[in-house]
Structures are given as C-alpha cells and as structure tokens.
Amino acid sequence: MTASTLSEVAKLAGVSPATASRVLNGSARTPAPEIAERVRQAADTLGYIANAQAQALAKSSTGLIGLIVHDIADPYFSAIAQGVQAAARQERRMVLLATTNGTPAEEKEAVAAFAARRAESIVIAGSRSTRSEDARANTELAAELDRYCRNGGRVGVVGQAILGVAETANYRTIAVPNEQLARDLARALARTHKGPFVIVAGPEGLTTSDERVMGFQRGLSDAGQPAADVVHVAFNRNGGFDAGIELAWRIKASDRSGPDQQLCIFGTNDVMAIGVAAALRDQGLRVPHDASLAGFDDIEWLRDFRPALSTVSLPLEEIGRLATMAALSNDDDGGPAAVAGSVTLRRSTSSP
C-alpha cells in the first residue's frame, strides 16, 4: 500500500502543505484549533504517517540520546545502559548506542556520528586514558565535544572528565570516587588479612584502574601493611584469567602453612576477579581456601558467583540515570555530581 503524502492530507483538509506540516510535524506555530482538527482528521482518513526527520527539523530536536560505552557485553556497561534507557524512556527519548573498545579515537568518531544525526544529548561511560599513544586522540575528542556543545548539544560523562574539556552548563560529569572506595576496601580487608596482597590491574594509563590501584595502596599503607604487588593485564575477564594463571604458580610455590602467608588478590573490576577465580580453579586452587579474592563494581553477574565475591558496590543503573538526566537538564546550577559506593565483604575474603 502506497503511503499517503503530506500534500494529499493538505488537499483533503483544504489547507496549504505548510499548514498541514505545522500541525503534523510539531511546529511551535500552530493554526487555529478547528483547522488543526481538520488536518488531523484528514491524516487519519488517509492513514498518513508523519516523517520523523521532518518532525525533528520542525522542532529543532530529534529526541535522540547517544550512548557511548567501551563494551556493551561487559555487565558494568550494560547496567549503566539500563539506567540510561530508563531515564530516556521517562523523558520520552530514544537511545542510540555506540561501542568503542575503550579508545578515545573511536569515542571521537561516535560523537561526530551522533552530532551528524542531531542527537540532542550524548552520554559517555568509560575510563579515560593518559597513555602517550592516546594523546592526539584525546585532543581530537575534546575538540569534537566542544564543537558539539557550542552547537547546543549536551553531554553527561560517567567517571572522569574528558581530558581537555571544561565543565560547562552543557557538559556535566558524574564522578565515581574510585580511589576513596578502593582505599576503604583495602582498610577493610587489612583488618582480618595478614598475608601479602596482590592487585590485578588494567594497563597503566587507564585512569579508572590507576585510581583504584592508588586508593588500594593507600588503604594498605593506612593499615600499616606493605604495598601490594601489581600485575598489569587487559582490563577484562581474559586479563584476569591470565593474571590468575601466573598467581596460581606463585601460590603453589609458596609456604601456605599459616594465614600470614596466604595471598589476598584484588581485581580492579569484578570481571577481572571472576577471571582470576576461573584460573585458580583451573589450576586446582580454591577461593578462599587457597587465596582470598575481591573485586570492584558489584555487577549483576555476582548473584550467581560462588563463593560470594567481596567487592565495592556501585549503583550502576542509578549512575546511568544520573548521567542521562545531567545531559538533558537545563539547570545551570547543578555542577558536577558524584555517586556513593560502599564496601561489601563476602565469603571470598573470609577465613578458610
């Protein structure tokens, strides 16, 4: 069945195409109520479907939110995405998704693509990189966001501010206190664990991981414990598994005759800790019998993980919602916001 055109609707209603467009495409300039009703009845009679692009042009808004994450398969990002989607639904917006593999170069391309599609807001979730090889891409990402905001776009960022972008009314950051929460976790673990600590971290220069490493080391220092060894691997489950294989050999070679000899392993995110646990299990070792283990984020996967994993709990869906509302808000007094988290100790760090 051939779709009806705006001209056909206008002809049946006895008005000009411009008048019919103002009624059906949402223009602020609306004709008299009786004329508008006549146009709507004509559209219903002909089965006319409004053109979404025409409506966006008329309203100067597409109702689109662009969401940029490192990896939607990662439960950390999928939980944030759920919060973004909930807020978008509440505000009658639609969400477009881009995944970037964690590189600022791909984030810049995603911002440009969303800007070209006239997304009214963009939410960015993912760690910043201070690695030298990302310096140019960071500069280009900052310039792309600055151009987007100057043209009326609004941005909400989760975690750390984009390097080189100043906080403005159109750009808000929802800060995650990674360093302080990791410090709190280390203090809590050091109260009962007297053996050595090891941190399984992401690549150096990945800001989220670096903040958590720094905070954990400071927490150990506060408790009078020596600094932890740090193993740098990929910031994902496979990276955790690789580190776990390496640590399994260390555990097997050590004297495990007393609790002061047992390792306590801190994965700087939960999926890394899950990877570590899988590697230890593969090598015939058990948590917490042969090593204690903790993570960070409290992702939904932990509901089915055994033994229950000690971690830092973050309200991930709420973070996504807050970032979305910050990006949509016209309140110039809001400034940057921060979320709260809490240490949650479970079976994985209890006495064997």
Side-chain angles (χ1 to χ4, degrees), residues 320-340:
R321 190 192 71 80
L322 287 172
T324 306
M325 298 310 294
L328 294 175
S329 173
N330 291 316
D331 181 8
D332 294 342
D333 300 325
V339 296

Side-chain angles (χ1 to χ4, degrees), residues 201-217:
E204 290 186 86
L206 193 66
T207 306
T208 296
S209 175
D210 289 348
E211 289 177 348
R212 293 175 182 183
V213 170
M214 186 180 303
F216 198 85
Q217 296 284 37

Side-chain angles (χ1 to χ4, degrees), residues 220-240:
L220 293 179
S221 178
D222 294 342
Q225 294 269 24
D229 293 338
V230 182
V231 179
H232 291 284
V233 288
F235 198 52
N236 55 32
R237 185 266 180 197
N238 290 341

Side-chain angles (χ1 to χ4, degrees), residues 1 73 81 84 92 162 171 189 200 284 310 322 325 331 334 342 346:
M1 180 177 178
V84 172
R92 299 183 181 279
I162 305 295
Y171 174 94
L189 294 174
V200 177
S310 294
L322 287 172
M325 298 310 294
D331 181 8
S342 60
R346 300 186 177 117

Side-chain angles (χ1 to χ4, degrees), residues 7-319:
S7 295
E8 291 171 338
V9 173
K11 183 177 180 179
L12 181 60
V15 299
S16 69
T19 298
S21 176
R22 282 195 288 270
V23 173
L24 298 175
N25 289 328
S27 172
R29 295 175 56 200
T30 55
E34 61 274 12
I35 295 176
E37 180 60 26
R38 202 162 70 231
V39 171
R40 293 190 189 96
Q41 288 181 355
D44 289 341
T45 300
L46 294 174
Y48 173 77
I49 300 174
N51 186 305
Q53 289 179 322
Q55 287 183 332
L57 289 171
K59 297 178 181 178
S60 297
S61 171
T62 58
L64 297 176
I65 299 173
L67 171 60
I68 301 173
V69 299
H70 286 186
D71 180 8
I72 195 61
D74 187 315
Y76 172 88
F77 293 111
S78 61
I80 289 175
Q82 286 178 347
V84 172
Q85 181 62 52
R89 189 180 299 112
Q90 173 188 317
E91 299 299 316
R92 299 183 181 279
R93 306 300 206 278
M94 293 296 293
V95 178
L96 302 177
L97 174 68
T99 58
T100 65
N101 296 314
T103 67
E106 292 191 40
E107 288 177 326
K108 179 256 183 183
E109 294 300 323
V111 170
F114 287 149
R117 287 158 179 77
R118 303 180 72 246
E120 62 180 278
S121 303
I122 294 175
V123 175
I124 303 176
S127 177
R128 300 299 97 216
S129 171
T130 59
R131 291 172 289 188
S132 58
E133 60 264 34
D134 288 326
R136 179 176 178 179
N138 282 329
T139 300
E140 292 175 350
L141 172 60
E144 193 68 47
L145 284 169
D146 181 63
R147 181 162 46 249
Y148 174 73
C149 290
R150 281 190 283 106
N151 286 327
R154 305 184 68 87
V155 178
V157 177
V158 174
Q160 307 93 19
I162 305 295
L163 298 174
V165 179
E167 200 83 21
T168 67
N170 280 26
Y171 174 94
R172 302 286 175 78
T173 302
I174 306 300
V176 177
N178 290 301
E179 184 175 338
Q180 183 57 55
L181 290 170
R183 189 174 186 175
D184 294 342
L185 175 63
R187 288 171 173 171
L189 294 174
R191 280 196 283 269
T192 57
H193 186 84
K194 302 308 177 186
F197 287 83
V198 174
I199 302 173
V200 177
E204 290 186 86
L206 193 66
T207 306
T208 296
S209 175
D210 289 348
E211 289 177 348
R212 293 175 182 183
V213 170
M214 186 180 303
F216 198 85
Q217 296 284 37
R218 288 182 175 176
L220 293 179
S221 178
D222 294 342
Q225 294 269 24
D229 293 338
V230 182
V231 179
H232 291 284
V233 288
F235 198 52
N236 55 32
R237 185 266 180 197
N238 290 341
F241 188 90
D242 293 341
I245 293 294
E246 177 183 333
L247 293 172
W249 288 105
R250 174 174 169 177
I251 292 167
K252 289 179 178 181
S254 67
D255 175 13
R256 289 177 280 160
S257 58
D260 58 341
Q261 299 299 318
Q262 187 184 52
L263 278 184
C264 183
I265 304 166
F266 167 49
T268 47
N269 65 37
D270 287 338
V271 293
M272 296 181 83
I274 290 172
V276 170
L280 296 182
R281 186 168 56 249
D282 185 67
Q283 295 298 310
L285 301 174
R286 293 176 295 160
V287 175
H289 185 272
D290 297 300
S292 295
L293 181 64
F296 200 112
D297 293 330
D298 205 14
I299 59 175
E300 190 172 0
W301 285 4
L302 298 190
R303 294 180 182 179
D304 301 317
F305 184 79
R306 294 294 180 272
L309 185 69
S310 294
T311 189
V312 170
S313 299
L314 290 175
L316 297 176
E317 289 191 30
E318 177 66 7
I319 288 172

